[in-house]
Amino acid sequence: MTPSTSGAALPLSVPLPVVPHAATSAATSAAGAARAPDVDVTPVVTCEREPSAAILGTYARAPITLVRGDGAELIDIEGRRYLDFTSGIAVNALGYGDPGLREAMHAAVDAGLVHASNLFHTRAAAALAEWLVNHSFADRVFFCNSGAEANEGAFKFARRWARDRGGPAKHEIIGVRGSFHGRLFASLGTTDRPGYRQPFRPLAGGAYVVERDLDELEGVLAAETAAAVIVEPVQGEGGVRVLDPGFLRELRALTRERDIALIFDEVQCGLGRTGWLFAYERSGVEPDLLTLAKPLAGGLPMGAVLLSAEIAGAIRPGDHGTTFGGGPFVAAVARYVVERLADPALLAAVRAHGDWMQESLLAIADRCGTVRGIRGAGLMWGIDVRAPASAVIGRARELGLLLLSAGDHTLRLLPPLTITREALARGLAILEDALA
């Protein structure tokens, strides 16, 4: 049956040769790909124990150590190449070794002003904010350091605005089924991952999750108590689920009718990932607040909240703050990144790649019989599989392809937005072998 669809490395000094994966060396040779540059692998600083033993174990890390990137590929400490369909979880939209990104970083450092604090104006932050405003629905921008911080900031801004509109009772922040908005106390409250939530209860009050259903939302979004509802136009961690434009339009109408702020979390799906600069452009629905992070500064930690004039008008000095957010170094680099990601030719290529990916994934599903469903847009795809996703990811890694999960039985594909069609085809060929 056809599945359903919907729209800081250690300093290194001693070179090692590249060891190609047996399963991919022939394909790489046929494609004319060169061996990786010599990879230095001896740490300047040594430890009595494994370097990773000093890192708190909050992640079940794959058994490889990455030391270099090249285009859409990563290279490990043994010199093996991996085609990367993770992009650092949607962060490395420009791939690895991008010359313009390197130049932007060098220019920002050469200015001699890495940090200044938000007690002063800087040109880089102002220029980036103006660019984001000029290219979106927004009138104001708040900078921070991550997606979770951006969502927590958006919650505060929405509550501040809502208190002015309806008093202290108007405070609830509501997420929907399948959502992921972060791991801090309020963002976790609106995240639909019980395993993430349970060990840390009680979470922030007034933040909770309801079904992704308009009838239920109509019942819980009370004008007197609801401050905001937050949704991802394309849910990432929740299985790569593309929210229907009709659903978003009706939700927008409901929130306007009841004077409730609408927040779009585009931390993962924004900035070109769907083939549009902002994912909301696919539906034509504009939110009151929008959160960004992951690819925003090309791998440097940065987040942002975009606000309408109405929401921004409720915010006063002291209502929120950040030490590092919008620093001149990261802001200057981010300006380069967003200009690249807004390139119409790049966005058109992402959309075309997305159409090709859907056709190719459906064909793979028909051939292998181990796929139950396919969803996605642009270069953001989820594949429901019969086997545990972790098993498929492990097999793919051994064959030279890096993948993500989005649930126990869902694979997530997030290649760099600059990837070539040839590299995409090579990755899908490896994926098909891993699914067999």
Side-chain angles (χ1 to χ4, degrees):
M1 184 173 68
T2 301
S4 61
T5 65
S6 67
L10 291 170
L12 305 166
S13 61
V14 176
L16 278 185
V18 168
V19 181
H21 288 268
T24 59
S25 58
T28 299
S29 176
R35 289 162 64 92
D38 287 342
V39 180
D40 297 334
V41 295
T42 300
V44 171
V45 179
T46 61
C47 302
E48 294 182 359
R49 52 184 176 172
E50 290 294 321
S52 61
I55 299 176
L56 185 65
T58 56
Y59 282 85
R61 299 174 193 267
I64 58 174
T65 298
L66 301 174
V67 296
R68 188 168 295 177
D70 177 21
E73 294 184 326
L74 289 165
I75 305 162
D76 74 9
I77 200 167
E78 297 178 348
R80 294 187 176 93
R81 280 185 177 270
Y82 301 84
L83 187 56
D84 181 28
F85 274 24
T86 75
S87 298
I89 316 181
V91 170
N92 301 316
L94 299 179
Y96 303 95
D98 180 78
L101 182 59
R102 183 187 300 113
E103 183 179 339
M105 289 181 175
H106 286 181
V109 168
D110 289 345
L113 188 64
V114 171
H115 177 70
S117 93
N118 284 294
L119 298 175
F120 308 98
H121 295 285
T122 65
R123 289 179 175 177
L128 178 60
E130 289 172 4
W131 192 96
L132 290 168
V133 164
N134 289 337
H135 288 79
S136 73
F137 73 95
D139 299 284
R140 298 290 187 274
V141 180
F142 173 83
F143 293 120
C144 55
N145 309 290
S146 70
E149 287 180 59
N151 285 330
E152 296 268 338
F155 294 171
K156 285 185 68 176
F157 300 149
R159 275 189 173 175
R160 186 71 173 85
W161 166 82
R163 179 179 287 264
D164 287 351
R165 310 283 286 191
K170 193 173 175 65
H171 71 283
E172 295 172 341
I173 310 292
I174 298 159
V176 301
R177 188 69 61 209
S179 61
F180 180 89
H181 301 297
R183 300 171 190 260
L184 304 180
F185 276 103
S187 53
L188 192 54
T190 56
T191 288
D192 182 27
R193 296 297 288 268
Y196 292 173
R197 294 158 55 97
Q198 188 59 41
F200 306 103
R201 292 182 180 276
L203 304 176
Y208 57 93
V209 175
V210 302
E211 292 297 329
R212 193 176 58 244
D213 176 81
L214 283 167
D215 289 336
E216 177 154 344
L217 284 163
E218 189 168 0
V220 300
L221 292 177
E224 299 78 17
T225 58
V229 58
I230 181 169
V231 298
E232 302 157 273
V234 183
Q235 294 182 330
E237 296 276 345
V240 191
R241 301 183 185 279
V242 183
L243 298 196
D244 183 76
F247 171 86
L248 294 175
R249 285 193 290 270
E250 291 192 48
L251 181 60
R252 173 73 284 187
L254 180 62
T255 55
R256 280 194 173 129
E257 175 190 322
R258 300 186 181 183
D259 208 21
I260 297 166
L262 178 60
I263 306 170
F264 279 176
D265 177 346
E266 295 202 11
V267 168
Q268 185 169 148
C269 65
L271 294 177
R273 179 56 59 181
T274 65
W276 302 87
L277 181 59
F278 300 105
Y280 74 80
E281 295 176 289
R282 296 183 70 251
S283 65
V285 177
E286 293 187 352
D288 301 298
L289 303 100
L290 181 141
T291 56
L292 299 170
K294 292 189 180 294
L296 180 54
L300 301 175
M302 190 178 205
V305 185
L306 279 58
L307 305 86
S308 69
E310 182 177 338
I311 304 294
I315 309 305
R316 302 289 181 267
D319 279 348
H320 200 43
T322 173
T323 296
F324 296 106
F329 177 72
V330 293
V333 174
R335 175 67 184 273
Y336 166 78
V337 173
V338 294
E339 288 181 346
R340 281 285 305 280
L341 297 180
D343 178 7
L346 182 143
L347 294 172
V350 171
R351 293 194 295 272
H353 286 329
D355 292 340
W356 179 87
M357 288 274 284
Q358 178 170 304
E359 294 178 4
S360 300
L361 289 170
L362 285 170
I364 289 172
D366 285 339
R367 289 194 296 268
C368 71
T370 58
V371 174
R372 297 184 294 111
I374 294 167
R375 299 174 298 276
L379 287 174
M380 183 175 184
W381 287 89
I383 307 170
D384 293 333
V385 294
R386 301 186 188 282
S390 59
V392 180
I393 290 169
R395 288 197 295 270
R397 185 176 64 246
E398 290 299 316
L399 295 171
L401 176 67
L402 301 182
L403 302 171
L404 296 163
S405 65
D408 292 340
H409 288 269
T410 302
L411 305 174
R412 185 171 23 150
L413 280 56
L414 298 170
L417 303 187
T418 53
I419 196 168
T420 65
R421 183 66 58 85
E422 179 276 332
L424 283 173
R426 183 157 53 95
L428 293 192
I430 300 171
L431 173 63
E432 185 168 3
D433 287 345
L435 287 167

